[in-house]
Amino acid sequence: MTALPRPTCRICETALPPPFLDLSAQPLANGLCATREAALTAPRYPLAVTRCPGCEAVQLTHDVDAGTMFDAYPYRTGASAFFRDH
């Protein structure tokens, strides 16, 4: 899966300018790998941030499919006693 560029603001649909911060391609958050080799070959996606000139919302410049991001997401609220009690 590749990340798709986001040409317009998620909130007001104004055209987005180039990013003000570009951290290049990064692995997904919490996508921890068991070995160094796996980490070096893990899929990477653009991680850049822009600010909408219309509504001033700060947002990522690319969209990654939700299934790609969350199918193997290790965080589960039901596994946390704090969240269960809450």
Side-chain angles (χ1 to χ4, degrees):
M1 163 72 194
T2 59
L4 298 175
R6 180 73 190 199
T8 60
C9 176
R10 289 166 174 80
I11 297 170
C12 71
E13 298 186 10
T14 299
L16 293 173
F20 64 81
L21 176 65
D22 189 342
L23 299 175
S24 70
Q26 300 292 325
L28 292 174
N30 290 325
L32 303 175
C33 298
T35 66
R36 182 178 191 276
E37 293 75 26
L40 292 173
T41 59
R44 296 182 184 309
Y45 303 92
L47 183 56
V49 183
T50 188
R51 181 175 83 39
C52 174
C55 68
E56 299 189 1
V58 174
Q59 54 200 288
L60 297 175
T61 61
H62 288 74
D63 291 330
V64 177
D65 177 67
T68 301
M69 289 195 301
F70 300 114
D71 278 352
Y73 194 66
Y75 180 75
R76 303 282 189 263
T77 57
S80 165
F82 174 80
F83 283 113
R84 275 195 316 269
D85 293 345
H86 180 68

